[in-house]
């Protein structure tokens, strides 16, 4: 295959990765933006979403699309409830102290991982794609499902943006982000906003995972890479800036896909993590962040 | 001699006596625990005394581990030289990372150290030709000799672990009781005020990181030389989280807390493994429970209620 088509293939792979990464990182960014806490267990909510998706699709018979649609609904719902419970039982009692929250969510990470290992097992299991067609380019055929993932992710991000900017709930979230004290004075139930935001953040990760699971198999350790990549994206995009997060996800996801095709993936990851460390050292507000974090 | 110094010497004397009284199985465990406790004590300098939440200490432990391991494998440098190299590697790595990472504080500091440690871990994997990555390598037994004594022999190994742990613990005690230790505590309590009082905050934190890195490097080198195995797992994020868990359990900013925490968590997992394989669950619930109900750890709570003179 010539360089041109090869680059196109690499870009398509990168775009699929970027689409899922953007959804996952958006969840992390939302939680950081509104609640000012770092959720280290975010990758485990992603993994939980994938594992539940496998579980739902294997219970629902018939056409693969039926099970997939059921998973799209059930998996984020269960993950959201679990996240809200964790928020109520643990994070609230810590008063959202940033460092105590990091320790607690590391604990949560281990608990969720062990739950998945003990119930689901150590095997990687595939989920059938809901649709099965190939888009034929002049040089190669490409999975139609992967193209749909890009579209679905874009639609969901648009929905998040609409909710944040055009609804009452979104207004409450933005008010809480801006100044929780004043928001409380205006009768905004800040506690419930926090629980809701934490749940929505986890649900976005779960949605990303349901989309990816027909491409990558569900595995109990799969949350590790998305967590690190989401950290990277959220930092580069500017801590707390949603627009920056999406933009950074596209850049990081695309370049990760393209570099991994042409170079060693390990070297690509070393360069990416070092780059992020240096960005945070010299531009603590991130590349697109307006205000210091 | 104050009662604080007396207490720590008594603990060391107890550990020395344990060498002759413990059954074989626990004797081997305690040697391992002492080396890991030296690592936890190193973490305690930055996390406990200076209040810096690092998630990158695995890279300092790993620096010591690989300095000693690679020197023995390719340089033919035996145990004592390996330990010195480990200390230097840990301190140097901590100083370089510190110069960069200390431009940030709080959550950013945690993420930067995490990223550097991840890059270091990936570098170990990338040079798999020499490090043999996840699989690791075994250090040849003729490299594991000190003064003609074989470190693989349980009694020698115990004394070597005791020496490393004793040195690190007494070092921590010296830091805790020095004016340098008080400056670190002041930074932890209120960084801005400490700066206003005229202390060079950046320099004190960098010193704390370098001391912590040297101790972690010593622990890493000792682990490699005493147990004869070097692998990438010891540089992974898990080994940045474990010292945090041990220090939180025993009590941050207490000299004996890291040892107590390491001892308890080691035996908690050891005992529980007879009826469950769910180790991660225990570690996870321990972290959540500690931060919710005992944020000061065992000795921290004791100091608050019973023994206010505990360093």
């Amino acid at each position: 295959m010539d360089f041109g088509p090869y680059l196109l293939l690499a870009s398509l792979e990168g775009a699929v990765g970027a689409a899922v990464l953007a959804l996952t990182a958006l969840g992390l960014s939302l939680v950081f933006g509104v609640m000012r806490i770092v959720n280290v267990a975010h990758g485990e909510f992603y993994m939980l979403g994938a594992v539940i998706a496998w579980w739902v699709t294997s219970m629902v018979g018939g056409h693969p699309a039926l099970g997939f649609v059921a998973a799209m609904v059930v998996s984020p719902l269960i993950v959201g409830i679990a996240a809200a419970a964790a928020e109520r039982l643990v994070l609230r009692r810590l008063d959202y102290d940033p460092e105590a929250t990091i320790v607690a969510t590391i604990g949560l990470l281990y608990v969720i991982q062990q739950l998945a290992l003990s119930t689901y097992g150590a095997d990687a299991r595939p989920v059938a794609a809901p649709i099965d067609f190939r888009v034929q380019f002049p040089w190669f055929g490409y999975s139609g499902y992967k193209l749909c993932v890009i579209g679905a992710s874009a639609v969901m991000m648009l929905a998040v943006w609409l909710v944040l900017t055009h609804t009452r709930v979104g207004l409450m979230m933005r008010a809480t982000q801006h100044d929780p004290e004043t928001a409380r004075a205006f009768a905004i139930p800040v506690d419930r906003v926090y629980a809701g935001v934490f749940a929505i953040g986890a649900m976005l990760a779960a949605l990303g995972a349901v989309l990816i699971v027909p491409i990558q198999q569900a595995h109990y350790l799969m949350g590790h890479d998305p967590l690190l990549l989401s950290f990277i994206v959220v930092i580069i995009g500017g801590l707390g800036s949603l627009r920056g997060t999406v933009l950074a996800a596209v850049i990081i996801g695309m370049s990760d896909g393209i570099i991994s095709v042409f170079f060693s993936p390990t070297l690509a990851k070393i360069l990416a993590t070092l780059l992020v460390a240096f960005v945070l050292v010299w531009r603590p507000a991130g590349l697109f962040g307006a205000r210091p974090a | 001699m104050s009662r604080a110094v007396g207490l720590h010497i008594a603990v060391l004397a107890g550990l020395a006596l344990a060498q002759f009284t413990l059954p074989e199985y626990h004797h081997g465990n305690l040697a391992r625990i002492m080396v890991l406790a030296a690592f936890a004590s190193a973490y305690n300098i930055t996390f406990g005394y200076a209040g810096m939440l690092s998630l990158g200490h695995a890279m300092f432990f790993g620096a010591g581990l690989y300095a000693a391991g690679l020197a023995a494998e390719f340089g033919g440098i035996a145990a004592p030289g390996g330990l010195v190299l480990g200390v230097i590697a840990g301190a140097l790595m901590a100083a370089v990372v510190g110069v960069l990472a200390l431009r940030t504080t709080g959550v950013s500091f945690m993420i930067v150290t995490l990223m550097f440690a991840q890059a270091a871990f990936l570098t170990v994997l990338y040079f798999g030709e020499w490090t043999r990555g996840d699989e690791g390598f075994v250090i040849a037994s003729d490299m594991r000799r000190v003064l003609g004594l074989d470190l693989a022999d349980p009694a020698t190994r115990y004394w070597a672990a005791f020496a490393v742990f004793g040195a690190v613990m007494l070092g921590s005690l010296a830091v805790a009781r020095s004016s340098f230790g008080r400056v670190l505590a002041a930074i932890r309590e209120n960084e801005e005020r400490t700066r206003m009082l005229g202390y060079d905050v950046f320099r004190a934190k960098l010193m704390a990181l370098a001391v912590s890195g040297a101790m972690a490097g010593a622990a890493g080198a000792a682990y490699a030389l005493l147990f004869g195995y070097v692998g990438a797992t010891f540089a992974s994020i898990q080994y940045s989280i474990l010292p945090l868990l041990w220090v939180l359990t025993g009590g941050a900013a207490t000299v004996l807390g890291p040892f107590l925490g390491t001892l308890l968590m080691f035996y908690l997992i050891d005992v529980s493994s007879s009826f469950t394989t769910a180790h991660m669950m225990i570690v996870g619930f321990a972290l959540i429970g500690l931060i919710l109900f005992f944020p000061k750890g065992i000795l921290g709570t004791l100091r608050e209620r019973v023994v206010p003179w505990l360093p």
Side-chain angles (χ1 to χ4, degrees):
Chain A
M1 202 155 45
D2 293 330
F3 179 75
Y6 202 52
L7 184 66
L8 176 66
L9 180 64
S11 313
L12 281 173
E13 288 292 311
V16 175
V20 174
L21 179 59
L23 267 186
T24 313
L26 195 62
L28 193 69
S29 182
L30 197 66
V31 169
F32 185 86
V34 176
M35 302 169 71
R36 298 273 138 196
I37 58 167
V38 176
N39 176 16
V40 185
H42 196 65
E44 303 319 305
F45 288 132
Y46 176 90
M47 178 274 287
L48 208 56
V51 167
I52 294 172
W54 175 84
W55 185 63
V56 171
T57 47
S58 60
M59 293 220 306
V60 177
H63 193 271
L66 278 177
F68 188 80
V69 170
M72 278 299 260
V73 177
V74 175
S75 168
L77 214 61
I78 297 179
V79 171
I81 291 168
E87 199 274 346
R88 286 266 150 143
L89 293 175
V90 181
L91 301 189
R92 174 166 308 173
R93 295 188 190 196
L94 295 171
D95 213 15
Y96 310 106
D97 175 72
E99 298 194 340
T101 307
I102 289 171
V103 176
T105 50
I106 290 174
L108 202 58
L109 175 156
Y110 279 124
V111 171
I112 297 177
Q113 223 169 62
Q114 183 72 59
L115 270 178
L117 178 61
S118 301
T119 56
Y120 172 81
D123 302 327
R125 299 195 176 99
V127 167
I131 46 172
D132 185 24
F133 69 93
R134 291 185 81 72
V135 178
Q136 198 59 45
F137 289 96
W139 315 277
F140 55 84
Y142 198 69
S143 152
Y145 175 71
K146 287 187 180 178
L147 295 176
C148 291
V149 167
I150 301 174
S153 162
V155 168
M156 282 182 224
M157 279 187 287
L158 196 67
V160 171
W161 180 75
L162 283 174
V163 166
L164 275 175
T165 52
H166 284 77
T167 65
R168 214 181 127 69
V169 175
L171 185 66
M172 283 180 178
M173 286 186 196
R174 283 183 292 137
T176 308
Q177 166 164 15
H178 196 70
D179 185 347
E181 291 289 312
T182 314
R184 195 171 275 131
F186 279 83
I188 289 175
V190 170
D191 283 351
R192 291 219 309 262
V193 171
Y194 279 170
V197 164
F198 198 72
I200 291 172
M203 287 167 87
L204 284 170
L207 277 171
V210 178
L211 286 177
I212 202 73
V213 94
I215 303 170
Q216 278 176 10
Q217 305 187 339
H219 184 252
Y220 83 102
L221 288 176
M222 72 188 293
H224 189 234
D225 278 356
L227 175 69
L228 277 179
L229 277 174
S230 297
F231 267 164
I232 293 175
V233 163
V234 170
I235 292 163
I236 299 273
L239 293 166
S241 151
L242 295 186
R243 212 171 307 167
T245 301
V246 174
L247 200 58
V250 173
I251 296 172
I252 299 282
M254 292 290 286
S255 45
D256 186 57
I258 293 173
I259 294 172
S260 304
V261 169
F262 291 106
F263 302 99
S264 141
T266 313
L267 187 61
K269 272 189 204 150
I270 294 176
L271 294 179
T273 40
L274 281 180
L275 180 76
V276 170
F278 282 108
V279 165
L280 202 56
V281 167
W282 274 292
R283 293 278 315 256
L287 290 183
F288 306 104
R291 58 174 186 280
Chain B
M1 191 167 69
S2 74
R3 48 191 170 175
V5 175
L7 171 72
H8 291 81
I9 288 178
V11 169
L12 283 180
L15 281 172
L17 280 179
Q19 148 83 342
F20 305 107
T21 50
L22 279 181
E24 196 185 331
Y25 175 68
H26 298 287
H27 181 268
N29 279 351
L30 199 56
R32 200 175 290 263
I33 289 168
M34 283 193 289
V35 175
L36 293 175
F39 181 30
S41 300
Y43 189 80
N44 190 33
I45 298 283
T46 45
F47 175 71
Y49 290 104
M52 301 187 270
L53 176 53
S54 146
L55 278 185
H57 263 61
M59 73 181 136
F60 310 141
F61 187 74
L65 189 91
Y66 275 99
L70 294 175
E73 182 83 353
F74 298 105
I77 296 172
L83 184 65
V84 173
L85 281 178
V87 172
I88 295 173
L92 206 64
M93 187 131 191
V96 171
V97 167
V99 166
L100 295 166
L102 284 175
R103 296 170 61 102
T104 61
T105 53
V107 171
S108 299
F109 179 78
M110 172 220 118
I111 297 178
V112 169
T113 49
L114 176 68
M115 289 297 162
F116 277 125
Q118 183 69 13
F121 169 66
L122 290 168
T123 307
V124 169
L125 295 186
Y126 186 69
F127 291 103
E129 205 182 311
W130 293 284
T131 63
R132 294 204 216 121
D134 276 327
E135 202 183 299
F137 60 89
V138 172
I139 297 178
S141 59
D142 57 332
M143 290 294 137
R144 296 170 57 203
R145 300 187 79 85
V146 181
L147 305 171
L149 295 168
D150 188 2
L151 285 175
D153 171 62
T156 316
R157 177 154 65 193
Y158 190 94
W159 285 121
F162 177 77
V164 169
F165 172 67
V168 168
M169 191 186 90
L170 293 177
S172 298
L173 185 63
V175 168
R177 291 164 64 88
S178 67
S179 57
F180 170 58
R182 292 207 185 89
V183 173
L184 292 184
I187 292 172
R188 175 189 68 208
E189 296 304 327
N190 192 330
E191 188 166 335
E192 281 310 307
R193 189 174 299 165
T194 315
R195 187 173 292 130
M196 194 201 74
L197 288 170
Y199 291 103
D200 189 341
V201 168
F202 178 83
R203 229 192 77 188
K205 282 165 110 177
L206 189 61
M207 273 291 289
L209 257 181
V211 168
S212 175
M215 289 173 170
Y223 203 91
L225 294 165
L226 293 187
F227 304 102
Y229 169 75
V230 172
T233 326
F234 295 111
S236 70
I237 174 142
Q238 199 195 344
Y239 274 78
S240 292
I241 293 173
L242 284 173
L244 170 67
L245 172 69
W246 296 328
V247 168
L248 275 176
T249 309
T254 62
V255 174
L256 289 173
F259 173 72
L260 189 63
T262 313
L263 184 75
L264 284 177
M265 287 315 294
F266 190 94
Y267 273 101
L268 180 63
I269 289 177
D270 189 62
V271 170
S272 65
S273 59
S274 56
F275 55 88
T276 172
T277 51
H279 303 144
M280 289 191 293
M281 188 78 87
I282 293 165
V283 172
F285 277 122
L287 275 173
I288 296 174
L290 280 165
I291 201 72
L292 272 179
F293 303 111
F294 294 100
K296 292 198 165 80
I298 297 167
L299 290 185
T301 310
L302 265 182
R303 172 164 62 190
E304 208 170 51
R305 307 222 172 116
V306 195
V307 277
W309 49 269
L310 199 69

